[in-house]
Amino acid sequence: MALRLPTQLATRGTFHHHHNNNSKSTTTAALSWRRTLSPDTPLIHSSTSLTTKKSYVQQMVTCSASGSTQAVNLAPGTPVRPTSILVVGSTGTLGRQIVRRALDEGYDVRCLVRPRPAPADFLRDWGATVVNADLSKPETIPATLVGIHTIIDCATGRPEEPIKTVDWEGKVALIQCAKAMGIQKYVFFSIHNCDKHPEVPLMEIKYCTEKFLQDSGLPHITIRLCGFMQGLIGQYAVPILEEKSVWGTDAPTRIAYMDTQDIARLTFIALRNEKVNGKLLTFAGPRAWTTQEVIALCERLAGQDANVTAVPVTILRFTRQLTRFFRVDK
């Protein structure tokens, strides 16, 4: 039987926090978002925007934060410099641009990086401090937050990982640790229109995380993104130059791609603007492009025709429906 996202996603977390008058209060945050999914909701989604390197097969996603994890706010404590930031996901397409921009603007940058065979030496070469931790192992997180004022969260899970491991469970742990340790601001990158596509696991989890962050009481900014311009280079420009095939569809969907350097620049403008605290922002490029328009642009710049393997949207939809019957429930 085909799997679907649950129609109700619930998270529950208990936060104990100290106020400036040293009184102690307890807040229980319970989140519940109901969705009505259509009977023919497709169960496979292959993204061509923010997740160009991932193809997600629909799986049962139950977003629930364990109520046994209690966050005790230790603030007020030792003051930290407003320029001290932690970048999570600092080796990614967006994360490395956030790090570079922050260093150029004079921030003290600490990068949370998973232990890996190939160290992220380029971050150290730029002038950042690198600390090892793993969002899938919550016990490794607190030490990375000591002395940090602001967290900028660019992280997402690896293609081979279960989607919930980093993008939900890891983010819940990070937000709870940030709340407990008195982090002053949390910047979270989400996906444009994630609230409108509960049938897509990553988008559903992004929306759940937005709500969890909002209800945590942590000072934050949520930034929704459309797509990365850099992703088009490997997907279309390079294959066309090398006379290799590229995939195209007749879908009318338009994506307002942005250069990640511009996203980084706007992020720090927002970070310095106190009026956007707690706000939901959307960053988008000046023009939205269809797949056909992107290919035509690359052809014009390359001075040669592309070898396009066209796949009608109707076939993609039929394939999604067909492959639902080959999924094995676990």
Side-chain angles (χ1 to χ4, degrees):
M1 183 177 180
L3 294 180
R4 296 188 182 281
L5 284 172
T7 55
Q8 178 170 324
L9 296 159
T11 64
R12 183 175 298 275
T14 302
F15 306 109
H16 300 281
H17 54 90
H18 291 285
H19 296 286
N20 291 334
N21 59 5
N22 294 324
S23 64
K24 187 175 182 179
S25 64
T26 302
T27 302
T28 300
L31 307 183
S32 178
W33 310 287
R34 291 188 176 275
R35 296 196 180 276
T36 302
L37 302 184
S38 60
D40 59 346
T41 301
L43 296 185
I44 292 183
H45 171 74
S46 179
S47 171
T48 57
S49 54
L50 291 178
T51 55
T52 54
K53 294 185 179 180
K54 296 185 179 182
S55 181
Y56 291 110
V57 176
Q58 178 76 12
Q59 52 190 297
M60 180 63 74
V61 178
T62 304
C63 299
S64 59
S66 173
S68 62
T69 303
Q70 296 184 346
V72 180
N73 192 337
L74 303 181
T78 304
V80 296
R81 295 188 301 273
T83 56
S84 61
I85 67 172
L86 175 72
V87 181
V88 186
S90 52
T91 59
T93 303
L94 175 60
R96 63 183 62 200
Q97 297 299 338
I98 293 290
V99 171
R100 194 62 183 262
R101 186 75 191 191
L103 290 168
D104 289 346
E105 295 195 10
Y107 286 87
D108 300 316
V109 183
R110 185 183 303 173
C111 300
L112 189 155
V113 177
R114 289 198 236 192
R116 51 198 286 169
D121 289 336
F122 71 94
L123 298 172
R124 295 187 181 91
D125 293 341
W126 290 351
T129 301
V130 176
V131 294
N132 286 333
D134 191 334
L135 295 187
S136 65
K137 299 177 181 178
E139 69 276 8
T140 67
I141 298 174
T144 68
L145 305 185
V146 175
I148 292 297
H149 181 278
T150 298
I151 294 174
I152 301 181
D153 178 7
C154 314
T156 190
R158 294 168 178 163
E160 66 273 13
E161 294 177 315
I163 189 172
K164 290 200 321 179
T165 302
V166 169
D167 289 289
W168 175 247
E169 295 167 355
K171 297 303 179 76
V172 166
L174 179 60
I175 292 168
Q176 290 177 332
C177 285
K179 175 72 174 181
M181 299 187 66
I183 297 300
Q184 298 300 300
K185 191 170 293 185
Y186 191 108
V187 179
F188 174 63
F189 288 105
S190 187
I191 301 176
H192 179 54
N193 283 338
C194 62
D195 54 321
K196 298 179 181 178
H197 297 281
E199 74 278 6
V200 181
L202 181 60
M203 297 183 81
E204 175 75 328
I205 287 177
K206 287 287 189 181
Y207 181 63
C208 289
T209 307
E210 289 181 4
K211 291 299 183 182
F212 186 80
L213 178 59
Q214 182 180 0
D215 281 27
S216 72
L218 193 64
H220 68 282
I221 302 172
T222 297
I223 302 174
R224 290 184 178 180
L225 305 175
C226 296
F228 298 157
M229 190 71 74
Q230 280 80 351
L232 300 178
I233 297 173
Q235 191 171 1
Y236 296 107
V238 172
I240 290 174
L241 286 171
E242 295 178 349
E243 300 182 353
K244 296 180 179 179
S245 295
V246 295
W247 293 93
T249 72
D250 55 0
T253 304
R254 293 181 174 273
I255 299 174
Y257 298 98
M258 279 190 72
D259 190 318
T260 52
Q261 292 183 5
D262 292 331
I263 294 172
R265 178 176 58 84
L266 292 176
T267 296
F268 285 97
I269 291 175
L271 192 60
R272 291 188 295 269
N273 186 348
E274 294 299 324
K275 293 182 180 180
V276 301
N277 285 342
K279 302 292 185 181
L280 173 62
L281 309 178
T282 297
F283 291 173
R287 175 182 171 183
W289 300 75
T290 64
T291 300
Q292 301 97 307
E293 289 171 341
V294 170
I295 292 174
L297 176 63
C298 291
E299 287 178 324
R300 180 167 60 83
L301 295 176
Q304 61 190 49
D305 293 335
N307 182 13
V308 181
T309 301
V311 182
V313 173
T314 52
I315 293 180
L316 290 178
R317 289 172 180 166
F318 173 76
T319 303
R320 282 201 294 258
Q321 294 295 324
L322 181 64
T323 52
R324 289 167 56 183
F325 299 103
F326 293 93
R327 176 162 177 80
V328 179
D329 294 351
K330 295 183 179 179

